[in-house]
Amino acid sequence: MHIFIILCLIPNSIDIDDLSAQLHLDTGMAFMQQGLLEQAEEEFQRTLELSEDYHTAVLGLGMIHAMRSSWNRASDFFWQYIEACPDDYRGYYELSKLFLITGIPDSAAIMSDNAFILAPTNPDIWLQSGKTWLELGDMDSAEMWFSKGTQHQGSTTLESLVLLASVYRRTSRSAEAREILIPAVNAGYAPACWELARVYLEWKDYLRAGDAINRYLLLSPCGYYADSALLVLEELGESGEYIP
């Protein structure tokens, strides 16, 4: 009875399938952000069953398959999205990330360039562009993109800063790397601790390197570099270069 009353109150100009499709799309996005990939996939598929015009559901399916490392399926969905929405940067951006992860950095750079043309003020794209050029070994281009990212106060700022420090370290500017890393380390940003440790290791300053590694492990015991950090710490201990 209540549903009937609600439907009667909805203007005739509103498409019920469109409303339902949008609801499923929004629900799918929420599920995906929570890591509930199976539920998200069902919602995106339901969206497209109701209306093929909701192309963001196609992008969402690509992102889900990328999270599952189903690279070919993800690529198919991203290309499908680009074909449907060539003026939206998101398809190019997601494809750039996929190419970089799968070891095709030259194609990743092309896709990130396309994304930048469409959304030149998006710091996520600056960061992605820097990563692609870093992988390609073009330190000047990588430095330019990461520097741009550090000037923007947002969610990508600290990651851009650490990667900029890695460029400094790789180009014989370790003192500059340390200088920009210290504030991030003091702020408790774990990846900055690991990069600082690498600076100290290059200087053969094993005491401070060990301290930086311990701080990284304290902040991020299951982090991306945790296994490498433990290995280095063990080697320093066995050599007698570092005693915590």
Side-chain angles (χ1 to χ4, degrees):
M1 180 67 177
H2 291 152
I3 294 175
F4 176 76
I5 294 173
I6 292 172
L7 290 176
C8 289
L9 292 173
I10 296 175
N12 294 332
S13 59
I14 295 180
D15 189 316
I16 300 301
D17 283 347
D18 275 350
L19 286 175
S20 183
Q22 184 65 56
L23 177 61
H24 283 290
L25 176 61
D26 293 342
T27 304
M29 287 296 181
F31 278 143
M32 185 169 64
Q33 290 176 356
Q34 298 172 48
L36 303 173
L37 302 187
E38 185 174 343
Q39 293 93 322
E41 184 176 16
E42 292 176 359
E43 294 296 329
F44 291 144
Q45 289 173 341
R46 181 59 180 149
T47 299
L48 294 171
E49 289 172 3
L50 290 166
S51 175
E52 294 182 355
D53 293 333
Y54 283 79
H55 303 297
T56 302
V58 174
L59 181 68
L61 288 171
M63 294 168 71
I64 286 172
H65 284 288
M67 292 176 189
R68 292 171 172 165
S69 300
S70 300
W71 307 121
N72 290 335
R73 289 295 307 278
S75 177
D76 288 343
F77 281 117
F78 292 148
W79 281 118
Q80 184 180 337
Y81 183 76
I82 289 172
E83 183 178 354
C85 304
D87 295 328
D88 188 335
Y89 79 90
R90 292 178 296 175
Y92 305 99
Y93 172 70
E94 294 296 337
L95 204 50
S96 177
K97 292 196 296 182
L98 184 151
F99 283 143
L100 189 60
I101 291 171
T102 55
I104 318 174
D106 50 346
S107 296
I110 293 171
M111 290 297 111
S112 63
D113 284 348
N114 288 337
F116 175 72
I117 290 170
L118 295 169
T121 61
N122 189 317
D124 290 325
I125 298 172
W126 306 342
L127 179 61
Q128 176 62 19
S129 295
K131 289 178 178 179
T132 61
W133 290 113
L134 184 63
E135 185 66 22
L136 287 166
D138 187 336
M139 295 299 163
D140 289 339
S141 295
E143 181 176 344
M144 183 271 291
W145 286 112
F146 295 143
S147 295
K148 190 176 179 69
T150 61
Q151 296 165 16
H152 171 82
Q153 296 302 313
S155 60
T156 61
T157 305
L158 286 175
E159 185 176 359
S160 296
L161 184 145
V162 171
L163 288 169
L164 178 61
S166 77
V167 171
Y168 288 164
R169 177 176 55 80
R170 298 180 198 198
T171 53
S172 303
R173 290 177 287 168
S174 295
E176 292 179 53
R178 179 184 180 277
E179 182 180 355
I180 66 172
L181 285 168
I182 291 297
V185 169
N186 291 337
Y189 186 58
C193 300
W194 174 246
E195 184 59 34
L196 183 62
R198 298 183 72 174
V199 170
Y200 288 141
L201 288 169
E202 284 193 359
W203 290 352
K204 295 182 172 30
D205 186 342
Y206 299 122
L207 180 61
R208 287 197 289 181
D211 287 344
I213 292 172
N214 272 322
R215 186 162 187 174
Y216 170 79
L217 290 170
L218 181 64
L219 291 168
S220 185
C222 300
Y224 183 79
Y225 301 108
D227 290 342
S228 297
L230 287 168
L231 181 61
V232 173
L233 207 57
E234 182 179 344
E235 290 175 351
L236 290 176
E238 290 177 352
S239 67
E241 299 286 356
Y242 176 73
I243 301 175

PDB file of all heavy atoms in Angstrom, residues 194 197-198 201 206 209-210 213 225-239 242:
ATOM      1  N   TRP A 194      60.496   4.711   5.696  1.00  0.00           N
ATOM      2  CA  TRP A 194      61.222   3.728   4.886  1.00  0.00           C
ATOM      3  C   TRP A 194      62.142   4.416   3.886  1.00  0.00           C
ATOM      4  O   TRP A 194      63.304   4.015   3.714  1.00  0.00           O
ATOM      5  CB  TRP A 194      60.241   2.815   4.165  1.00  0.00           C
ATOM      6  CG  TRP A 194      60.895   1.863   3.202  1.00  0.00           C
ATOM      7  CD1 TRP A 194      60.778   1.838   1.848  1.00  0.00           C
ATOM      8  CD2 TRP A 194      61.788   0.793   3.536  1.00  0.00           C
ATOM      9  NE1 TRP A 194      61.525   0.841   1.309  1.00  0.00           N
ATOM     10  CE2 TRP A 194      62.160   0.176   2.324  1.00  0.00           C
ATOM     11  CE3 TRP A 194      62.314   0.306   4.724  1.00  0.00           C
ATOM     12  CZ2 TRP A 194      63.039  -0.911   2.273  1.00  0.00           C
ATOM     13  CZ3 TRP A 194      63.188  -0.779   4.685  1.00  0.00           C
ATOM     14  CH2 TRP A 194      63.528  -1.375   3.474  1.00  0.00           C
ATOM     15  N   ALA A 197      65.098   5.732   5.689  1.00  0.00           N
ATOM     16  CA  ALA A 197      66.023   4.636   5.996  1.00  0.00           C
ATOM     17  C   ALA A 197      66.914   4.329   4.799  1.00  0.00           C
ATOM     18  O   ALA A 197      68.122   4.074   4.952  1.00  0.00           O
ATOM     19  CB  ALA A 197      65.236   3.389   6.411  1.00  0.00           C
ATOM     20  N   ARG A 198      66.359   4.377   3.613  1.00  0.00           N
ATOM     21  CA  ARG A 198      67.145   4.102   2.411  1.00  0.00           C
ATOM     22  C   ARG A 198      68.202   5.182   2.187  1.00  0.00           C
ATOM     23  O   ARG A 198      69.304   4.897   1.706  1.00  0.00           O
ATOM     24  CB  ARG A 198      66.219   3.983   1.206  1.00  0.00           C
ATOM     25  CG  ARG A 198      65.228   2.835   1.333  1.00  0.00           C
ATOM     26  CD  ARG A 198      64.346   2.674   0.115  1.00  0.00           C
ATOM     27  NE  ARG A 198      65.098   2.133  -1.009  1.00  0.00           N
ATOM     28  CZ  ARG A 198      64.531   1.791  -2.165  1.00  0.00           C
ATOM     29  NH1 ARG A 198      63.227   1.955  -2.342  1.00  0.00           N
ATOM     30  NH2 ARG A 198      65.259   1.304  -3.142  1.00  0.00           N
ATOM     31  N   LEU A 201      70.919   4.345   4.673  1.00  0.00           N
ATOM     32  CA  LEU A 201      71.669   3.162   4.241  1.00  0.00           C
ATOM     33  C   LEU A 201      72.696   3.520   3.173  1.00  0.00           C
ATOM     34  O   LEU A 201      73.816   2.999   3.178  1.00  0.00           O
ATOM     35  CB  LEU A 201      70.705   2.084   3.715  1.00  0.00           C
ATOM     36  CG  LEU A 201      69.857   1.361   4.771  1.00  0.00           C
ATOM     37  CD1 LEU A 201      68.780   0.522   4.101  1.00  0.00           C
ATOM     38  CD2 LEU A 201      70.749   0.482   5.667  1.00  0.00           C
ATOM     39  N   TYR A 206      74.185   3.410   9.681  1.00  0.00           N
ATOM     40  CA  TYR A 206      73.326   2.279   9.997  1.00  0.00           C
ATOM     41  C   TYR A 206      72.523   2.480  11.278  1.00  0.00           C
ATOM     42  O   TYR A 206      71.442   1.898  11.423  1.00  0.00           O
ATOM     43  CB  TYR A 206      74.176   1.009  10.092  1.00  0.00           C
ATOM     44  CG  TYR A 206      74.886   0.689   8.796  1.00  0.00           C
ATOM     45  CD1 TYR A 206      76.270   0.579   8.738  1.00  0.00           C
ATOM     46  CD2 TYR A 206      74.157   0.527   7.615  1.00  0.00           C
ATOM     47  CE1 TYR A 206      76.916   0.294   7.546  1.00  0.00           C
ATOM     48  CE2 TYR A 206      74.796   0.246   6.413  1.00  0.00           C
ATOM     49  CZ  TYR A 206      76.172   0.129   6.384  1.00  0.00           C
ATOM     50  OH  TYR A 206      76.801  -0.136   5.200  1.00  0.00           O
ATOM     51  N   ALA A 209      69.606   4.524  10.194  1.00  0.00           N
ATOM     52  CA  ALA A 209      68.824   3.686   9.277  1.00  0.00           C
ATOM     53  C   ALA A 209      67.983   2.687  10.059  1.00  0.00           C
ATOM     54  O   ALA A 209      66.785   2.508   9.799  1.00  0.00           O
ATOM     55  CB  ALA A 209      69.747   2.956   8.307  1.00  0.00           C
ATOM     56  N   GLY A 210      68.612   2.044  11.033  1.00  0.00           N
ATOM     57  CA  GLY A 210      67.883   1.075  11.851  1.00  0.00           C
ATOM     58  C   GLY A 210      66.754   1.716  12.636  1.00  0.00           C
ATOM     59  O   GLY A 210      65.650   1.150  12.751  1.00  0.00           O
ATOM     60  N   ILE A 213      63.908   2.367  10.244  1.00  0.00           N
ATOM     61  CA  ILE A 213      63.215   1.121   9.900  1.00  0.00           C
ATOM     62  C   ILE A 213      62.306   0.684  11.042  1.00  0.00           C
ATOM     63  O   ILE A 213      61.158   0.272  10.829  1.00  0.00           O
ATOM     64  CB  ILE A 213      64.228   0.012   9.558  1.00  0.00           C
ATOM     65  CG1 ILE A 213      64.943   0.345   8.251  1.00  0.00           C
ATOM     66  CG2 ILE A 213      63.523  -1.336   9.444  1.00  0.00           C
ATOM     67  CD1 ILE A 213      66.088  -0.580   7.920  1.00  0.00           C
ATOM     68  N   TYR A 225      56.204  -2.381   2.670  1.00  0.00           N
ATOM     69  CA  TYR A 225      57.648  -2.620   2.753  1.00  0.00           C
ATOM     70  C   TYR A 225      58.044  -3.404   4.006  1.00  0.00           C
ATOM     71  O   TYR A 225      59.237  -3.518   4.306  1.00  0.00           O
ATOM     72  CB  TYR A 225      58.393  -1.280   2.763  1.00  0.00           C
ATOM     73  CG  TYR A 225      58.135  -0.430   1.545  1.00  0.00           C
ATOM     74  CD1 TYR A 225      57.362   0.725   1.634  1.00  0.00           C
ATOM     75  CD2 TYR A 225      58.653  -0.776   0.300  1.00  0.00           C
ATOM     76  CE1 TYR A 225      57.119   1.512   0.518  1.00  0.00           C
ATOM     77  CE2 TYR A 225      58.415   0.005  -0.820  1.00  0.00           C
ATOM     78  CZ  TYR A 225      57.644   1.149  -0.704  1.00  0.00           C
ATOM     79  OH  TYR A 225      57.400   1.915  -1.807  1.00  0.00           O
ATOM     80  N   ALA A 226      57.090  -3.931   4.729  1.00  0.00           N
ATOM     81  CA  ALA A 226      57.385  -4.562   6.018  1.00  0.00           C
ATOM     82  C   ALA A 226      58.360  -5.727   5.881  1.00  0.00           C
ATOM     83  O   ALA A 226      59.310  -5.856   6.667  1.00  0.00           O
ATOM     84  CB  ALA A 226      56.085  -5.027   6.677  1.00  0.00           C
ATOM     85  N   ASP A 227      58.162  -6.596   4.902  1.00  0.00           N
ATOM     86  CA  ASP A 227      59.055  -7.751   4.734  1.00  0.00           C
ATOM     87  C   ASP A 227      60.476  -7.298   4.422  1.00  0.00           C
ATOM     88  O   ASP A 227      61.443  -7.825   4.991  1.00  0.00           O
ATOM     89  CB  ASP A 227      58.537  -8.668   3.618  1.00  0.00           C
ATOM     90  CG  ASP A 227      57.265  -9.404   4.006  1.00  0.00           C
ATOM     91  OD1 ASP A 227      56.962  -9.480   5.218  1.00  0.00           O
ATOM     92  OD2 ASP A 227      56.559  -9.897   3.106  1.00  0.00           O
ATOM     93  N   SER A 228      60.604  -6.317   3.525  1.00  0.00           N
ATOM     94  CA  SER A 228      61.933  -5.800   3.187  1.00  0.00           C
ATOM     95  C   SER A 228      62.575  -5.140   4.397  1.00  0.00           C
ATOM     96  O   SER A 228      63.781  -5.297   4.641  1.00  0.00           O
ATOM     97  CB  SER A 228      61.832  -4.791   2.036  1.00  0.00           C
ATOM     98  OG  SER A 228      61.340  -5.398   0.863  1.00  0.00           O
ATOM     99  N   ALA A 229      61.774  -4.407   5.155  1.00  0.00           N
ATOM    100  CA  ALA A 229      62.291  -3.723   6.340  1.00  0.00           C
ATOM    101  C   ALA A 229      62.819  -4.722   7.366  1.00  0.00           C
ATOM    102  O   ALA A 229      63.899  -4.537   7.940  1.00  0.00           O
ATOM    103  CB  ALA A 229      61.197  -2.849   6.953  1.00  0.00           C
ATOM    104  N   LEU A 230      62.076  -5.783   7.595  1.00  0.00           N
ATOM    105  CA  LEU A 230      62.509  -6.806   8.549  1.00  0.00           C
ATOM    106  C   LEU A 230      63.792  -7.478   8.085  1.00  0.00           C
ATOM    107  O   LEU A 230      64.693  -7.762   8.887  1.00  0.00           O
ATOM    108  CB  LEU A 230      61.402  -7.839   8.735  1.00  0.00           C
ATOM    109  CG  LEU A 230      60.180  -7.390   9.548  1.00  0.00           C
ATOM    110  CD1 LEU A 230      59.048  -8.393   9.419  1.00  0.00           C
ATOM    111  CD2 LEU A 230      60.565  -7.199  11.020  1.00  0.00           C
ATOM    112  N   LEU A 231      63.894  -7.727   6.788  1.00  0.00           N
ATOM    113  CA  LEU A 231      65.085  -8.367   6.237  1.00  0.00           C
ATOM    114  C   LEU A 231      66.319  -7.482   6.423  1.00  0.00           C
ATOM    115  O   LEU A 231      67.379  -7.953   6.853  1.00  0.00           O
ATOM    116  CB  LEU A 231      64.872  -8.678   4.755  1.00  0.00           C
ATOM    117  CG  LEU A 231      66.030  -9.380   4.028  1.00  0.00           C
ATOM    118  CD1 LEU A 231      66.312 -10.730   4.679  1.00  0.00           C
ATOM    119  CD2 LEU A 231      65.696  -9.564   2.554  1.00  0.00           C
ATOM    120  N   VAL A 232      66.170  -6.199   6.103  1.00  0.00           N
ATOM    121  CA  VAL A 232      67.293  -5.267   6.262  1.00  0.00           C
ATOM    122  C   VAL A 232      67.686  -5.160   7.729  1.00  0.00           C
ATOM    123  O   VAL A 232      68.881  -5.157   8.068  1.00  0.00           O
ATOM    124  CB  VAL A 232      66.939  -3.876   5.691  1.00  0.00           C
ATOM    125  CG1 VAL A 232      68.037  -2.869   6.017  1.00  0.00           C
ATOM    126  CG2 VAL A 232      66.728  -3.946   4.195  1.00  0.00           C
ATOM    127  N   LEU A 233      66.706  -5.078   8.601  1.00  0.00           N
ATOM    128  CA  LEU A 233      66.976  -4.959  10.033  1.00  0.00           C
ATOM    129  C   LEU A 233      67.724  -6.197  10.538  1.00  0.00           C
ATOM    130  O   LEU A 233      68.664  -6.092  11.341  1.00  0.00           O
ATOM    131  CB  LEU A 233      65.662  -4.785  10.780  1.00  0.00           C
ATOM    132  CG  LEU A 233      65.708  -4.043  12.125  1.00  0.00           C
ATOM    133  CD1 LEU A 233      66.297  -2.655  11.964  1.00  0.00           C
ATOM    134  CD2 LEU A 233      64.297  -3.961  12.705  1.00  0.00           C
ATOM    135  N   GLU A 234      67.313  -7.358  10.051  1.00  0.00           N
ATOM    136  CA  GLU A 234      67.979  -8.605  10.443  1.00  0.00           C
ATOM    137  C   GLU A 234      69.426  -8.618   9.957  1.00  0.00           C
ATOM    138  O   GLU A 234      70.340  -9.016  10.699  1.00  0.00           O
ATOM    139  CB  GLU A 234      67.214  -9.800   9.852  1.00  0.00           C
ATOM    140  CG  GLU A 234      67.800 -11.147  10.249  1.00  0.00           C
ATOM    141  CD  GLU A 234      67.015 -12.310   9.663  1.00  0.00           C
ATOM    142  OE1 GLU A 234      65.867 -12.085   9.218  1.00  0.00           O
ATOM    143  OE2 GLU A 234      67.549 -13.432   9.646  1.00  0.00           O
ATOM    144  N   GLU A 235      69.646  -8.179   8.718  1.00  0.00           N
ATOM    145  CA  GLU A 235      71.003  -8.151   8.171  1.00  0.00           C
ATOM    146  C   GLU A 235      71.890  -7.174   8.939  1.00  0.00           C
ATOM    147  O   GLU A 235      73.063  -7.464   9.207  1.00  0.00           O
ATOM    148  CB  GLU A 235      70.954  -7.760   6.692  1.00  0.00           C
ATOM    149  CG  GLU A 235      70.349  -8.836   5.803  1.00  0.00           C
ATOM    150  CD  GLU A 235      70.205  -8.387   4.354  1.00  0.00           C
ATOM    151  OE1 GLU A 235      70.411  -7.179   4.089  1.00  0.00           O
ATOM    152  OE2 GLU A 235      69.896  -9.233   3.500  1.00  0.00           O
ATOM    153  N   LEU A 236      71.329  -6.029   9.315  1.00  0.00           N
ATOM    154  CA  LEU A 236      72.099  -5.059  10.093  1.00  0.00           C
ATOM    155  C   LEU A 236      72.459  -5.622  11.464  1.00  0.00           C
ATOM    156  O   LEU A 236      73.573  -5.414  11.970  1.00  0.00           O
ATOM    157  CB  LEU A 236      71.305  -3.757  10.254  1.00  0.00           C
ATOM    158  CG  LEU A 236      71.119  -2.903   9.001  1.00  0.00           C
ATOM    159  CD1 LEU A 236      70.228  -1.702   9.312  1.00  0.00           C
ATOM    160  CD2 LEU A 236      72.466  -2.426   8.470  1.00  0.00           C
ATOM    161  N   GLY A 237      71.519  -6.348  12.059  1.00  0.00           N
ATOM    162  CA  GLY A 237      71.783  -6.938  13.362  1.00  0.00           C
ATOM    163  C   GLY A 237      72.846  -8.020  13.298  1.00  0.00           C
ATOM    164  O   GLY A 237      73.742  -8.083  14.148  1.00  0.00           O
ATOM    165  N   GLU A 238      72.778  -8.868  12.273  1.00  0.00           N
ATOM    166  CA  GLU A 238      73.752  -9.955  12.127  1.00  0.00           C
ATOM    167  C   GLU A 238      75.153  -9.424  11.853  1.00  0.00           C
ATOM    168  O   GLU A 238      76.148 -10.038  12.262  1.00  0.00           O
ATOM    169  CB  GLU A 238      73.320 -10.894  10.999  1.00  0.00           C
ATOM    170  CG  GLU A 238      72.079 -11.727  11.341  1.00  0.00           C
ATOM    171  CD  GLU A 238      71.626 -12.586  10.185  1.00  0.00           C
ATOM    172  OE1 GLU A 238      72.184 -12.416   9.073  1.00  0.00           O
ATOM    173  OE2 GLU A 238      70.725 -13.422  10.379  1.00  0.00           O
ATOM    174  N   SER A 239      75.230  -8.303  11.161  1.00  0.00           N
ATOM    175  CA  SER A 239      76.539  -7.725  10.842  1.00  0.00           C
ATOM    176  C   SER A 239      77.118  -6.930  12.008  1.00  0.00           C
ATOM    177  O   SER A 239      78.292  -6.544  11.979  1.00  0.00           O
ATOM    178  CB  SER A 239      76.418  -6.807   9.618  1.00  0.00           C
ATOM    179  OG  SER A 239      75.633  -5.657   9.926  1.00  0.00           O
ATOM    180  N   TYR A 242      74.008  -2.590  13.632  1.00  0.00           N
ATOM    181  CA  TYR A 242      72.899  -1.930  14.334  1.00  0.00           C
ATOM    182  C   TYR A 242      72.448  -2.807  15.480  1.00  0.00           C
ATOM    183  O   TYR A 242      72.134  -3.981  15.319  1.00  0.00           O
ATOM    184  CB  TYR A 242      71.721  -1.684  13.383  1.00  0.00           C
ATOM    185  CG  TYR A 242      70.520  -1.087  14.086  1.00  0.00           C
ATOM    186  CD1 TYR A 242      70.517   0.235  14.494  1.00  0.00           C
ATOM    187  CD2 TYR A 242      69.384  -1.859  14.341  1.00  0.00           C
ATOM    188  CE1 TYR A 242      69.414   0.797  15.133  1.00  0.00           C
ATOM    189  CE2 TYR A 242      68.270  -1.312  14.979  1.00  0.00           C
ATOM    190  CZ  TYR A 242      68.311   0.014  15.385  1.00  0.00           C
ATOM    191  OH  TYR A 242      67.215   0.572  16.007  1.00  0.00           O
TER     192      TYR A 242
END
